Structures are given as structure tokens and as C-alpha cells.
Amino acid sequence: MLVWFLPLFLLFLMIGLPVFFGMLAAPGILLWLNGQERDLILLYRNVYNGMASFPLMAIPFFMLAGELMNRGGITMRLVEFSQAMMGHFRGGLAHVNVLSSMLFAGLSGSAVADTSALGSMLIPAMEKEGYSRKFAAAITAASSVIGPIIPPSGIMIIYAYVMGESVAALFLAGIVPGILVGVGLMVMVKLQADKYDFPASRSKASWGERGNASLKAFFPLLTPVIILGGILAGVFTPTEAAAVAVAYAIIIGMFVLNTLKIKDLPDVFMRAAMTSATVLLLVGAAMAFKTVVSLSHTPEILAEFVLGLSENPLILLFLINLLLFVVGMFLDAGPAIIILGPILGPIFVDLGVDPIHFAIIMSVNLTVGLATPPMGLVLFVASSVSGERVETISKAILPFLAVEIVVIFLITFIPEISMTIPRLTGFAD
């Protein structure tokens, strides 16, 4: 069934059917044609069961926290902080774009929120400074994938839920890979800045200006410290941490910075609810499909096929990275993790790959897929924000994608990159 699912699913996407309905219609039709009416009922019943989970409640809370911080002007303070630190370099606004994404990642954990919030500010500013619109949109889309890598991360919460792993361990394992992606993008920005003579966005900030920008950004930057610190100290669960992040965002926005008004809350709640509903519906559909796939013994069949290709774990990791990269071109990271995680994870754990390490390989690879043509979600968001065509952005983003692919292979073949912090803190063996 898995062989026919993907072509049928892609066909539904091409004719304009929403992803949620495509993920249910494709297996539903196949089950009906096979005369498996009992499994068909199980498929649709498990849509609700897949969403009814306490750990998954962290996702809408983190979405809401991101919306509150964006509406409360906290995003602007992060950009001002980044500009004070890096705006004087050649290609300064491009560096600011990347650094802002790294900082915003610690608040929202969403690539889409990153692209929308930062893109609406930085793309017009970069165009005004003399950058082409396609370049500004491309670096915004490329840097936004850092959002789900640096904790908190909605994608890692989903992976932990599906595979029974520790959310805290995954969060810790994502810190260095996320920083590595950001540093790699900055290196590419410098190379392009030297080649095309990009401007600096401002003169070098004085220490006083940097101190003032740091004070303004202090409370926003404290958010990931509270979230991670509370989880690691055992004060609260990841879901409770997400709720604390919402309360903290409201307190900071309404009472400390005075930038968030009560009249803003209905629209903020509505936007967070719509985004969360989309994610949770996809999770429910993917969990339902996962249940049916497990009944068909597809994981065991695929495991035999994969192990038949080679007995060398390094070669298999290389091949799986290629597979995940292709899947990421067409399928959103959340559903891809739910569908492929239970199939691929056990195979590599049996081969001796640490489950946390494989989780990071899969999460980072599929997250980069969000910015990969032709179906990368953040490409469409960047297109909407900038007014540039997706095809044009797709060409401009290729050098940055190359950097991210290099980082993926570094993470894959050097486990210490992702595993050192979890091991030092006792969250991994």
C-alpha cells in the first residue's frame, strides 16, 4: 500500500486537494479497493485519537506564544539587537536576517512564523538597502528553517510523541545543529557579500548602543532560558513549559513593554488557533495512516528491503538522507516524521545508531525540506510576503540550500555534534 500511497497522494496535491484530505483519501481509496472496510473505519476513527494527546498540546501553546511576541513588538526588538551586533558587516542586513532567525527560533519553534514575522520587516528593509528582492526572500526562507531546529521545536515534539523519545533530549540535541546551520548561512552570506559588494546596513554600533539594544531584548531572550531551564530542572513538562511561555509573553507584552493591548488578543488567538488546527489535523491524519500502515506489515517489508541494500550503517545513512531530502521536497515535515519515523527509526536503532541522533538527522533533513523546491512551504510564505515568484526564490536559495545539505551530512556522520550536550546533561547515554 505504501508503494501506491505516495503517487496517489501527490496526484491529489497536484489537483489542488488540501494535504489533510489527501492524506486520508489516498489510503482510504486503497483500502476500499482492497476490500478492507474494517481498516477503513479504523483509519478515520484514529484521526481524533491521533490528536487527543496531552504532549501535543505544547504545539498550539508555542504557536500562541510566537503570535503574542510578534504582535507585542518583541520580534522588532530582536531585529534591533541583531542589527546592533552585526549590522556593520558587509552584507549586514543579510547577517541580521540569519541572526534574528536564530534568536526567534528560541521563541516560536516554527519556520512559517519566522518567515512571516521577520520577512515582513526585513525583506522591504533589505530591498531598500539595495539587495534584490529575490535574494532577500531567499535568505529569509533559508534562515527560517533554523526555527524548528533550535528549541523549542514543534517538529521535535511531534517526533518525541510518535517515537516515545524524551522531548528534553531532542531539544538539547538540536542546539548545536541549529547554530551550525546559522553559522554556515552567515559564511555563505559573507562570500556573496564580497562577490557582489553588498552594503553594510549601518556604521559600527557603540558599546552603549549595543548595551541599550541588549537591555531591550533581555526579556524576549529570557524566554528560551525559562522554557529549557524549567524542562531540564524537572519543574514542568514540555506542554506546561509551552503554557508558561504564553503567560510570560502576555506579561511581557502587556505589563513590561506595554506593546500588547487587550484589543489585540482576539486576532492573536484566532491566528494561533488557525495555525494550530492545521498542524494538529495533519498530525491526526498522519497518525491514522500510520496505524493502517502498521497493520499491513509495511515497516517490516521496507526494513528487509533497506537492510538488503547494504550492511554498512554509513552507506544506509547516506541513502536515507537522500530519501528524506526527496520526501521533504513534497511533504511537510510533521506528516513526514509521523509516517516515516516509525518505519525508519527502528531500522537504524537496530544498526547501532542512537535514537536521539537519528531523530535529529530526520528532523533537520525534513526541516530543510520546508525551504526546498518545488513544494517547500516557507518558499510560498516568502513569496507571499515579498511578492516575488516562487520559481525566482527557488533559484536564489540554491547556494544556501547547499550549505544546509553540508550541515545535514556533518550531523549524520559526526554524532558528537548533536549528542554532546544531551550526554553532558545526562539525557542520553
Side-chain angles (χ1 to χ4, degrees), residues 91-108:
L93 268 184
H95 287 297
V96 167
N97 198 320
V98 177
L99 181 58
S100 298
S101 290
M102 295 171 71
L103 298 176
F104 194 74
L107 308 182
S108 72

Side-chain angles (χ1 to χ4, degrees), residues 292-364:
V292 175
V293 167
S294 63
L295 292 174
S296 66
H297 302 289
T298 302
E300 292 88 344
I301 296 170
L302 188 60
E304 290 180 10
F305 171 74
V306 170
L307 294 174
L309 296 175
S310 173
E311 295 182 358
N312 188 326
L314 298 180
I315 294 176
L316 290 178
L317 281 171
F318 177 80
L319 295 175
I320 287 302
N321 268 317
L322 295 181
L323 170 65
L324 292 174
F325 188 75
V326 173
V327 169
M329 291 181 180
F330 300 97
L331 197 59
D332 195 32
I337 283 173
I338 295 173
I339 293 170
L340 295 177
I343 297 172
L344 300 176
I347 297 174
F348 285 90
V349 171
D350 289 343
L351 289 171
V353 178
D354 189 282
I356 301 300
H357 181 212
F358 184 77
I360 295 301
I361 293 171
M362 193 168 191
S363 298
V364 174

Side-chain angles (χ1 to χ4, degrees), residues 110-120 123 137-138 140-141 144 271 370-371 375-390 393:
S110 167
V112 173
D114 187 323
T115 308
S116 178
L118 296 177
S120 59
I123 292 175
T140 301
S144 69
R271 288 173 61 89
L370 293 170
M375 300 288 291
L377 182 59
V378 297
L379 292 178
F380 290 92
V381 177
S383 173
S384 175
V385 171
S386 67
E388 193 68 65
R389 294 180 60 186
V390 173
I393 299 173

Side-chain angles (χ1 to χ4, degrees), residues 57-212:
M57 286 302 297
I59 294 175
F61 278 122
F62 278 129
M63 295 281 187
L64 178 56
E67 289 288 346
L68 287 166
M69 291 180 181
N70 188 32
R71 183 60 65 92
I74 291 175
T75 307
M76 177 62 75
R77 289 171 180 258
L78 295 180
V79 172
E80 290 174 354
F81 172 77
S82 302
Q83 211 161 8
M85 298 300 167
M86 303 200 69
H88 59 282
F89 290 111
R90 186 182 295 278
L93 268 184
H95 287 297
V96 167
N97 198 320
V98 177
L99 181 58
S100 298
S101 290
M102 295 171 71
L103 298 176
F104 194 74
L107 308 182
S108 72
S110 167
V112 173
D114 187 323
T115 308
S116 178
L118 296 177
S120 59
M121 286 187 291
L122 288 174
I123 292 175
M126 290 180 70
E127 195 173 3
K128 188 176 179 181
E129 288 282 343
Y131 297 85
S132 66
R133 188 186 301 177
K134 64 180 181 181
F135 177 85
I139 187 59
T140 301
S143 63
S144 69
V145 304
I146 301 172
I149 301 174
I150 293 179
S153 167
I155 288 173
M156 291 182 190
I157 291 171
I158 292 173
Y159 190 100
Y161 166 61
V162 174
M163 301 298 291
E165 299 295 341
S166 163
V167 174
L170 292 185
F171 278 6
L172 290 170
I175 294 174
V176 176
I179 294 173
L180 198 57
V181 171
V183 171
L185 292 177
M186 287 182 180
V187 170
M188 179 55 69
V189 166
K190 184 183 186 311
L191 293 175
Q192 296 211 357
D194 292 340
K195 182 177 180 181
Y196 298 109
D197 196 26
F198 290 162
S201 64
R202 54 167 296 164
S203 58
K204 189 172 183 177
S206 66
W207 286 109
E209 290 172 324
R210 291 182 177 183
N212 186 44

